[in-house]
């Protein structure tokens, strides 16, 4: 129990409210359970704090108040949501209340009678409609959470029944090969970022995807670069911060996670987690990301060592404890906007466009970002994921989306062996070689042609940066495709080496010869930046000057038609001679 937090909440209430609450409890409990009289606010606060420690008080409170005819409504308001419409409470729990009529812009607030005294009814009316709901004050709700019966998912537990999902994602081995390739590229300045030095260029991302066996979360073209983007940002900033990688890739990952969880890396990965929101602002020094990773550390410390855990269990674990974070002040969070073309089911009165108020903080801010963060940990190879498309009944590319963010489909997570090592549960880690399960592949012995089953979409996407379609199911190595995005020989060599890692078996000699020829024929052309070509206009006097002036002839390396070739260093001499003979020039 976090009784210090409860104390802070209670002290924020007016003394009269505390006293009314105390008197109501006294009437409904055995008189021996509560003191006869309390008047001072400090004593009232102390009473509620002590009550949370008193087993006799808790037993009587549950028996006489929480476990009576309003038990289901109390459970809902205490644990699920702190408010519910009266019509909905009637449908769900059979709670019938008398009709109340209010005038326009009038508001009525009153507590229910009897054991419902902790529940307040609010009725109001404006030109947008009438509102009638039941709720429990946030402070009272927090107090009740300390003494009410805990839900089954109050703690994070291993899930016994796993429902099938469309995707099963595990990047444990692939992340280490990604780090190996990324480290070489970073050392040779082969990863390029945009002007703000925060977002990697698409060319760099595509190159890394083709050069590493990294797994992406989704196959849709608009979503099949998310993991590459996350990892490229992460290990680029890690390298720039630390100046080098560790000897073993898993050691680099271990250090990276330690630095990030302690907020010692100067970059803000959370930008990728808020793409479903508008007007998002972050504090100037990005220190608020601390709160997010503190929550992740808390969750990871409570995960079981084996087996899958439900994402709903994790989210409820946080909500039951009133765990929150902000990227700036809470006031700024409420200015963030969520817009959609459809009406969501988070609440019956949600519209297509609104701010992230208290009511929508968890469904529209906290939950999508926590899910996104676990996708991130999945890309880092720390957890295994089970998930569906964000909208199982609708096209991801449809304009009318009935999901909040692309991370909505996450259902289960499980720690990997790499996760055990990174989080300190295991002292050592043995890196495994990736075992590629490939369908029937044939290599031509005379031409660099590969025959691949069309259904092997993963391998087809992996060879795409190297080949062109030859016919129905055959693909041939192509110079232009291989050279694409390679700005120097080192990048070209990395890309060619990565091609061989795509296959389990040794390739025929014709493939080795093809790549060897590329290496042999590299840089056969060289630019001589010391030479300049000058074009002369068809002017009789000018042409005669170049044909008769001995000094100009000495400066000319070669002449062809109206063009002459000279050394760059001789430009000043040529310019002086031409100007001395009456020809003005601008260069």
């Amino acid at each position: 129990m976090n009784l210090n937090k409860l104390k802070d909440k209670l002290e924020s209430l007016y003394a009269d409210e505390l006293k009314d609450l105390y008197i109501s409890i006294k009437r409904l409990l055995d008189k021996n359970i509560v003191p006869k009289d309390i008047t001072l606010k400090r004593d009232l606060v102390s009473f509620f704090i002590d009550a949370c420690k008193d087993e006799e008080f808790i037993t009587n409170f549950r028996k006489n108040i929480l476990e009576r005819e309003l038990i289901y409504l109390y459970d809902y308001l205490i644990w699920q949501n702190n408010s519910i419409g009266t019509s909905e409470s009637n449908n769900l729990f059979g709670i019938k209340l008398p009709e109340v009529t209010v005038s326009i812009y009038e508001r009525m607030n009153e507590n229910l009678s009897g054991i419902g005294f902790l529940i307040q009814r609010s009725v109001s009316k404006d030109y947008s409609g009438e509102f009638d709901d039941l709720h429990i004050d946030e402070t009272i709700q927090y107090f009740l959470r300390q003494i009410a019966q805990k839900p089954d998912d109050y703690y994070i537990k291993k899930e016994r029944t796993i429902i099938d999902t469309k995707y099963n994602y595990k990047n444990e081995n692939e992340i280490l090969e990604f780090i190996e390739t990324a480290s070489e590229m970073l050392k040779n300045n082969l990863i390029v970022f945009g002007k703000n030095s925060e977002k990697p260029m698409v060319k760099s991302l595509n190159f890394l995807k083709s050069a590493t066996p990294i797994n992406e979360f989704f196959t849709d073209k608009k979503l099949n670069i998310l993991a590459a983007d996350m990892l490229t940002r992460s290990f680029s900033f890690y390298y720039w911060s630390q100046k080098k990688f560790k000897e073993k890739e898993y050691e680099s990952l271990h250090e990276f996670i330690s630095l990030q969880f302690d907020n010692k890396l100067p970059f803000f990965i959370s930008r990728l987690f808020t793409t479903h929101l508008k007007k998002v602002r972050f504090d100037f020094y990005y220190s608020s990301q601390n709160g997010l990773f503190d929550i992740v550390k808390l969750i990871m410390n409570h995960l079981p060592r084996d087996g899958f855990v439900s994402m709903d269990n994790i989210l409820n674990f946080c909500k039951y404890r009133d765990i929150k974070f902000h990227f700036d002040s809470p006031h700024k969070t409420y200015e963030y906007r969520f817009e959609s073309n459809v009406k969501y089911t988070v609440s019956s009165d949600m519209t297509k466009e609104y701010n992230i108020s208290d009511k929508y903080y968890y469904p529209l801010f906290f939950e999508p970002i926590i899910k996104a963060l676990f996708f991130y940990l999945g890309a880092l190879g720390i957890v295994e994921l089970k998930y569906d498309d964000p909208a199982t009944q609708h096209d991801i590319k449809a304009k009318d989306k009935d999901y909040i963010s692309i991370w909505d489909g996450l259902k289960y997570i499980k720690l990997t062996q790499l996760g055990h090592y990174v989080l300190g549960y295991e002292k050592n880690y043995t890196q495994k070689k990736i075992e590629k399960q490939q369908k029937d592949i044939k290599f031509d012995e005379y031409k660099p042609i590969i025959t691949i089953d069309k259904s092997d979409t993963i391998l087809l996407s992996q060879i795409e940066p190297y080949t062109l379609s030859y016919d129905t199911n055959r693909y041939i190595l192509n110079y232009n495709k291989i050279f694409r995005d390679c700005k120097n020989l080192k990048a070209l060599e990395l890309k060619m080496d990565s091609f061989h890692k795509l296959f389990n078996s040794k390739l025929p000699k014709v493939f080795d010869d093809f790549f060897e020829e590329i290496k042999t024929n590299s840089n056969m052309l060289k630019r001589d930046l010391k030479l300049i070509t000058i074009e002369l206009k068809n002017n009789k006097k000018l042409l005669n000057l170049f044909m008769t002036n001995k000094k100009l002839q000495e400066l000319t390396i070669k002449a062809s038609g109206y063009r002459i070739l000279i050394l760059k260093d001789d430009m000043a001499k040529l310019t002086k001679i031409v100007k001395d003979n009456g020809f003005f020039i601008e260069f």
Side-chain angles (χ1 to χ4, degrees):
M1 295 185 187
N2 190 345
L3 297 183
N4 287 330
K5 187 172 183 179
L6 175 60
K7 183 174 183 292
D8 292 339
K9 288 179 176 290
L10 289 168
E11 287 179 342
S12 67
L13 288 178
Y14 294 110
D16 288 344
E17 290 178 312
L18 280 170
K19 190 172 182 179
D20 289 344
L21 178 61
Y22 168 76
I23 292 172
S24 298
I25 289 174
K26 186 176 180 180
R27 287 173 180 168
L28 289 163
L29 292 182
D30 188 317
K31 294 182 180 180
N32 295 326
I33 303 301
V34 294
K36 290 183 178 180
D37 191 26
I38 299 179
T39 55
L40 297 178
K41 181 174 182 177
R42 66 170 182 269
D43 296 327
L44 287 165
V45 172
S46 178
F47 160 73
F48 286 106
I49 299 298
D50 291 341
C52 292
K53 306 174 186 177
D54 189 328
E55 291 298 327
E56 186 181 4
F57 175 88
I58 293 173
T59 300
N60 277 271
F61 193 98
R62 289 177 181 173
K63 179 180 178 181
N64 293 315
I65 298 175
L66 299 184
E67 296 180 2
R68 299 275 291 279
E69 57 266 26
L70 295 180
I71 180 173
Y72 297 113
L73 177 59
Y74 266 120
D75 277 348
Y76 180 85
L77 293 176
I78 292 170
W79 299 111
Q80 300 301 320
N81 202 323
N82 67 346
S83 69
I84 185 173
T86 53
S87 60
E88 191 177 356
S89 69
N90 186 19
N91 293 333
L92 289 177
F93 313 118
I95 309 298
K96 292 185 178 181
L97 296 172
E99 290 189 12
V100 175
T101 303
V102 295
S103 303
I104 192 77
Y105 292 123
E106 182 184 357
R107 186 179 186 89
M108 182 214 75
N109 294 309
E110 65 177 17
N111 288 76
L112 301 187
S113 59
I115 61 172
F117 73 98
L118 296 171
I119 302 171
Q120 187 174 74
R121 182 182 185 184
S122 295
V123 183
S124 62
K125 183 178 181 180
D126 60 28
Y127 286 108
S128 63
E130 296 185 13
F131 306 93
D132 187 351
D133 64 21
L134 304 173
H135 68 276
I136 296 179
D137 179 88
E138 182 184 353
T139 302
I140 306 305
Q141 181 193 38
Y142 194 82
F143 166 69
L144 292 176
R145 284 182 175 180
Q146 313 308 312
I147 59 178
Q149 192 71 39
K150 302 292 188 289
D152 291 339
D153 57 350
Y154 187 78
Y155 300 101
I156 302 176
K157 300 176 182 178
K158 178 179 177 180
E159 195 71 22
R160 294 182 178 180
T161 304
I162 304 296
I163 300 174
D164 288 339
T165 57
K166 182 175 180 179
Y167 302 101
N168 193 94
Y169 183 94
K170 193 175 182 180
N171 209 41
E172 180 177 0
N173 299 322
E174 290 79 0
I175 178 60
L176 301 178
E177 291 204 18
F178 176 90
I179 294 173
E180 180 183 10
T181 301
S183 65
E184 286 297 319
M185 293 182 66
L186 286 163
K187 290 172 187 175
N188 291 279
N189 299 315
L190 301 179
I191 296 179
V192 182
F193 276 64
K195 292 181 180 179
N196 62 1
S197 299
E198 187 169 315
K199 184 178 180 180
M201 301 294 284
V202 174
K203 284 186 177 181
S204 293
L205 294 179
N206 286 332
F207 183 89
L208 274 164
K209 282 184 63 179
S210 67
T212 63
I214 181 177
N215 293 318
E216 279 294 340
F217 305 126
F218 303 103
T219 56
D220 186 277
K221 287 186 177 180
K222 292 184 178 180
L223 303 175
N224 69 352
I225 205 168
L226 295 170
D229 192 1
M230 289 177 172
L231 297 178
T232 302
R233 295 185 192 218
S234 297
F235 290 100
S236 295
F237 284 98
Y238 167 76
Y239 175 72
W240 296 334
S241 171
Q242 303 305 112
K243 311 302 181 186
K244 63 179 181 179
F245 283 80
K246 296 286 187 180
E247 183 178 350
K248 300 291 185 182
E249 285 75 25
Y250 55 82
E251 292 174 346
S252 293
L253 178 64
H254 186 288
E255 183 177 49
F256 168 78
I257 293 296
S258 298
L259 290 169
Q260 189 173 66
F261 277 19
D262 291 338
N263 202 46
K264 294 179 180 177
L265 282 180
F267 83 110
F268 207 62
I269 190 67
S270 300
R271 285 192 185 279
L272 294 176
F273 306 157
T274 57
T275 53
H276 65 294
L277 298 173
K278 294 185 177 182
K279 297 188 177 181
V280 177
R281 295 182 180 181
F282 303 100
D283 67 299
F284 185 74
Y285 293 104
Y286 296 160
S287 59
S288 57
Q289 188 170 247
N290 270 1
L292 178 57
F293 282 105
D294 284 343
I295 292 173
V296 173
K297 285 188 286 186
L298 175 67
I299 294 171
M300 301 302 276
N301 287 334
H302 283 81
L303 286 181
R305 297 291 185 265
D306 65 331
F308 281 97
V309 171
S310 163
M311 196 64 213
D312 287 339
N313 188 178
I314 290 174
L315 294 173
N316 285 336
F317 170 86
C318 296
K319 286 192 286 186
Y320 294 156
R321 291 158 178 79
D322 198 32
I323 295 171
K324 295 181 179 181
F325 71 93
H326 298 277
F327 290 129
D328 204 324
S329 66
H331 174 73
K332 292 291 179 62
T333 302
Y334 302 149
E335 294 178 355
Y336 300 167
R337 296 194 64 77
F338 178 82
E339 297 177 4
S340 172
N341 295 325
V342 299
K343 195 169 185 178
Y344 284 79
T345 57
V346 177
S347 176
S348 59
D349 64 339
M350 287 178 73
T351 58
K352 294 182 180 179
E353 186 175 312
Y354 37 82
N355 293 337
I356 310 302
S357 63
D358 276 332
K359 190 172 185 179
Y360 305 131
Y361 172 84
Y362 276 106
L364 297 183
F365 181 78
F366 185 91
E367 293 180 16
I369 291 173
I370 293 295
K371 287 182 179 180
L373 201 144
F374 274 101
F375 269 97
Y376 177 51
L377 296 180
L380 290 168
I382 297 174
V383 294
E384 184 177 346
L385 310 174
K386 283 183 176 293
Y387 56 98
D388 293 312
D389 286 322
T392 55
Q393 302 299 319
H394 296 269
D395 186 348
I396 293 176
K397 295 178 286 186
K399 291 183 179 179
D400 293 338
K401 300 181 177 67
D402 66 351
Y403 59 92
I404 294 170
S405 80
I406 55 177
W407 317 109
D408 277 8
L410 184 57
K411 296 295 188 294
Y412 308 99
I413 69 160
K414 180 178 76 171
L415 281 175
T416 62
Q417 287 302 116
L418 183 58
H420 280 81
Y421 166 75
V422 168
L423 296 175
Y425 304 143
E426 300 287 345
K427 292 184 179 180
N428 301 302
Y429 180 76
T430 302
Q431 186 171 346
K432 305 176 185 69
K433 287 290 182 182
I434 296 178
E435 296 180 4
K436 304 177 182 66
Q437 296 180 352
Q438 297 171 343
K439 299 179 181 180
D440 290 338
I441 304 171
K442 295 180 181 178
F443 301 98
D444 196 293
E445 295 287 340
Y446 304 101
K447 291 183 178 181
I449 296 175
I450 311 169
T451 303
I452 299 177
D453 189 328
K454 281 280 190 181
S455 64
D456 195 346
T457 55
I458 294 178
L459 186 56
L460 284 174
S461 66
Q462 290 174 328
I463 68 168
E464 192 277 334
Y466 303 88
T467 63
L468 286 177
S469 177
Y470 192 72
D471 54 29
T472 306
N473 60 345
R474 294 196 298 170
Y475 301 84
I476 187 169
L477 292 179
N478 175 264
Y479 294 122
N480 285 332
K481 294 293 281 296
I482 294 172
F483 295 160
R484 187 173 297 172
D485 298 329
C486 296
K487 293 188 176 181
N488 55 48
L489 184 57
K490 183 65 179 177
L492 180 61
E493 289 174 345
L494 278 171
K495 188 170 183 179
M496 290 190 295
D497 290 343
S498 298
F499 179 81
H500 290 82
K501 295 179 180 179
L502 297 176
F503 308 99
N504 294 326
S505 57
K506 181 175 174 59
L507 303 184
K509 186 174 182 298
V510 65
F511 288 85
D512 293 332
D513 291 344
F514 185 89
F515 288 120
E516 192 59 39
E517 179 194 6
I518 289 178
K519 291 180 182 179
T520 302
N521 294 337
S522 296
N523 291 328
M524 299 293 283
L525 306 177
K526 290 190 176 182
R527 290 184 298 170
D528 193 337
L529 300 179
K530 295 181 180 180
L531 297 177
I532 294 179
T533 300
I534 297 175
E535 183 176 351
L536 307 177
K537 289 191 176 181
N538 188 6
N539 179 279
K540 186 175 180 180
K541 183 179 177 181
L542 177 64
L543 297 176
N544 185 59
L545 174 64
F546 274 85
M547 288 188 292
T548 59
N549 189 295
K550 291 184 178 181
K551 289 185 178 180
L552 286 178
Q553 291 176 354
E554 290 174 359
L555 297 177
T556 302
I557 295 174
K558 185 177 181 180
S560 178
Y562 293 114
R563 289 185 176 86
I564 64 169
L565 192 66
I566 70 166
L567 289 172
K568 185 177 181 180
D569 292 343
D570 290 336
M571 273 297 298
K573 296 178 182 178
L574 180 141
T575 301
K576 185 177 185 308
I577 294 171
V578 171
K579 285 184 176 181
D580 287 344
N581 284 275
F583 293 94
F584 175 76
I585 52 177
E586 293 185 7
F587 56 81

